[in-house]
Amino acid sequence: MIVVFCIAAIVLVLRNFNGGQGVFELPNLYGLMALVYFLPQIVVQLPNGSEPEAGFDAYLAMATACLIATYFGWHLAMRESLSRRNDGVYTRSGYFRGAAASTAIALVCNLVLEFLRPSMDGIQQWYGPIVIVAFFAQLRIVSFAFSLALFFRERTMFTTTNFVLNLCMVLPSVLLYARRTDLVGAAFAYVVVRWFVKRRIPPLHITIPLFISIFVVTFAITEIRTYQYLHYVATGERLSILSPQLLTSIDFSASASNGLSTSSDIRNGMRSIAAVQSTGSYSFGAALWNRVVFQYVPATVFGPSVKESFMFDIRSLDELASEYSDYYWQTGTTPTGFATAFQDFWYAGSLYFVLMAYLTGRTFKRALSGDIFSQVLYVPLVAMALVSLTHSISYFFVSYPFFWVSMAGVKRLFRRRGLGDGNRPLCNSPTSYNSPTSRARLPDSPSTGTHIQSVGWRPSARPISRRVP
């Protein structure tokens, strides 16, 4: 089964590298994650008498099914004709106002979060109003991507200031609090937005160190956060992950090696799938529903009793694993998205990955047409999709409505009607994305023989419509 898993991952990695486009597509990223992150840990967990054979084989089968489902969902999105809605047109000043509004909202949310954060120091599972604030503070990734989209297109006082403000919001979350979601989201925002605008992949001397840093931090995150917290308790000062004191105090190679040898997340997933499969404790969507209710029905507003009345009484995966095989998760570890999808609908839970890839693929297709809002939205969707792979599928499905509504609100608020057909792209692409055979090729695809600069506006104040006629 491990051979089939490797073949599925390799196929995803190598698919559609036309002009570098495939580097930024979700199936390719999933294939890369499967080979670089999951495969080494799976090899460590090869059945040796201590790991249940059923859990190992079932986990690999589910992982393979999810990779195949991702390809299928993305293929559906690329083949589908996008609707022709007359959304209006967007002027240069309209984009600036939209970026300013998103920055202001994200800045307020993050300032409030910083004010409330000291009350939760040392507490891993937050509760109370800070949970609501932290959820809305995720807008910093959307705002950061928006600022990059404008900054790469035009260097003005506004775009530069807006970019610096957003950078100041994202960096503390990455450097001081070691949030992997923001680390991946910020890195991906820089790489993919730059490609959308300039159609250039960052040089290897930037991408390779960035990729290695993310990989090392991922496996050493527990030691990093523990050292940061102990130092904060002792001195009241928060250390950056780039601090020489922290870098010299933690043996990153040993931490990464230890994380790889224990492979706690993969072990959690295998034990959980074995427990669910043996006991028949499928939740049939209840686990995901509970997570949605937990996030969108705050107990501080409606009361704990009302919130609990909307949730199903089911056992969590860690409870099932401990009851079935006397196996207990380590604090801070996860069961991976494969196990959480399996808990809901057996192997049919892989359909979650079809839906994730389909929704993300539609956004990517609109982004290729020059739609700045879709280019911005694609960044947090991919970040959440990657976290859903390593943590739980709930991350994507809980966050998707929030990010989509936020971006749709900005679009509707700062659009202008009556200025002509709003169905034309920002760049005059020779390839129609409504053609089911076009596969959303790049404007400068070799097959067209032309080069079209992908920009969101021209320096003039004339409004630019954003869809295909």
Side-chain angles (χ1 to χ4, degrees):
M1 196 65 212
I2 195 171
V3 175
V4 180
F5 173 80
C6 292
I7 292 175
I10 292 173
V11 169
L12 290 184
V13 169
L14 298 180
R15 59 168 296 281
N16 195 24
F17 261 82
N18 178 25
Q21 176 178 333
V23 176
F24 308 104
E25 296 185 2
L26 186 64
N28 300 68
L29 295 173
Y30 269 13
L32 183 63
M33 287 284 291
L35 292 177
V36 176
Y37 180 80
F38 284 93
L39 183 59
Q41 299 184 77
I42 289 174
V43 170
V44 171
Q45 298 300 326
L46 284 171
N48 54 15
S50 62
E51 198 67 39
E53 181 75 24
F56 181 86
D57 290 339
Y59 185 87
L60 268 180
M62 183 62 183
T64 305
C66 290
L67 294 181
I68 296 173
T70 300
Y71 174 84
F72 182 68
W74 190 269
H75 181 71
L76 286 178
M78 293 296 104
R79 297 283 294 181
E80 184 180 83
S81 297
L82 299 182
S83 61
R84 289 172 166 266
R85 297 190 308 270
N86 188 5
D87 287 344
V89 293
Y90 301 88
T91 63
R92 177 173 176 270
S93 61
Y95 287 116
F96 283 8
R97 291 194 301 270
S102 63
T103 299
I105 296 172
L107 184 60
V108 170
C109 291
N110 281 272
L111 288 176
V112 175
L113 178 62
E114 290 304 309
F115 177 77
L116 298 175
R117 190 186 295 272
S119 63
M120 291 291 144
D121 281 335
I123 301 176
Q124 185 173 7
Q125 186 65 46
W126 287 359
Y127 59 88
I130 194 173
V131 177
I132 304 174
V133 176
F135 182 70
F136 283 98
Q138 294 179 104
L139 278 174
R140 59 180 168 264
I141 293 299
V142 176
S143 180
F144 179 66
F146 209 159
S147 71
L148 283 171
L150 303 188
F151 181 73
F152 283 142
R153 283 174 166 84
E154 183 176 341
R155 305 289 175 84
T156 66
M157 180 65 71
F158 171 79
T159 58
T160 303
T161 303
N162 189 50
F163 169 68
V164 171
L165 282 175
N166 280 277
L167 192 62
C168 291
M169 275 193 290
V170 171
L171 285 181
S173 182
V174 174
L175 300 180
L176 299 181
Y177 305 114
R179 285 186 55 84
R180 285 173 291 184
T181 304
D182 287 328
L183 174 61
V184 174
F188 186 73
Y190 169 77
V191 174
V192 74
V193 172
R194 185 177 186 271
W195 180 81
F196 278 136
V197 176
K198 301 178 180 296
R199 290 297 194 261
R200 292 202 301 265
I201 300 176
L204 292 179
H205 68 269
I206 293 178
T207 55
I208 292 180
L210 185 63
F211 180 79
I212 294 175
S213 300
I214 294 175
F215 183 81
V216 172
V217 169
T218 298
F219 282 105
I221 195 68
T222 301
E223 288 80 0
I224 292 174
R225 289 174 176 170
T226 300
Y227 189 88
Q228 284 180 321
Y229 176 70
L230 293 177
H231 185 272
Y232 174 74
V233 171
T235 65
E237 176 190 6
R238 293 192 181 276
L239 281 179
S240 165
I241 60 176
L242 299 180
S243 168
Q245 180 178 346
L246 186 145
L247 293 176
T248 56
S249 300
I250 296 178
D251 189 343
F252 285 93
S253 60
S255 298
S257 176
N258 180 64
L260 182 61
S261 62
T262 56
S263 305
S264 299
D265 294 344
I266 306 300
R267 286 174 58 85
N268 294 345
M270 291 179 180
R271 295 282 186 171
S272 299
I273 284 181
V276 171
Q277 196 172 35
S278 299
T279 61
S281 301
Y282 299 102
S283 59
F284 301 104
L288 178 58
W289 171 259
N290 285 353
R291 186 62 188 175
V292 172
V293 171
F294 176 82
Q295 194 64 67
Y296 287 101
V297 183
T300 54
V301 177
F302 299 98
S305 59
V306 174
K307 182 172 185 173
E308 291 176 2
S309 67
F310 284 105
M311 302 176 72
F312 293 95
D313 184 17
I314 60 173
R315 289 178 294 174
S316 61
L317 286 177
D318 57 334
E319 293 174 341
L320 289 172
S322 62
E323 293 174 7
Y324 171 70
S325 59
D326 199 29
Y327 172 80
Y328 297 91
W329 295 8
Q330 295 182 13
T331 303
T333 59
T334 70
T336 72
F338 303 138
T340 55
F342 189 91
Q343 179 190 18
D344 270 353
F345 296 107
W346 188 61
Y347 290 104
S350 59
L351 294 177
Y352 280 131
F353 287 80
V354 174
L355 185 55
M356 275 196 294
Y358 174 76
L359 295 174
T360 310
R362 280 178 58 87
T363 304
F364 183 76
K365 196 171 184 180
R366 289 190 183 278
L368 286 179
S369 73
D371 184 351
I372 293 180
F373 297 107
S374 295
Q375 293 173 3
V376 172
L377 180 60
Y378 186 67
V379 172
L381 292 189
V382 170
M384 289 297 106
L386 293 176
V387 175
S388 295
L389 192 67
T390 58
H391 288 58
S392 167
I393 51 98
S394 64
Y395 279 82
F396 180 88
F397 291 104
V398 170
S399 300
Y400 179 82
F402 172 67
F403 289 129
W404 188 90
V405 169
S406 301
M407 210 69 250
V410 172
K411 289 176 65 175
R412 293 185 65 86
L413 186 60
F414 298 103
R415 69 183 177 179
R416 293 179 61 184
R417 288 191 177 276
L419 296 175
D421 181 17
N423 206 32
R424 186 173 303 157
L426 294 172
C427 59
N428 298 321
S429 169
T431 304
S432 170
Y433 61 65
N434 280 316
S435 171
T437 60
S438 69
R439 291 183 54 82
R441 290 183 301 218
L442 298 181
D444 55 354
S445 170
S447 63
T448 66
T450 59
H451 176 78
I452 304 295
Q453 185 180 9
S454 176
V455 295
W457 60 77
R458 297 177 179 87
S460 65
R462 179 168 57 88
I464 306 297
S465 56
R466 67 172 186 84
R467 293 186 184 277
V468 173

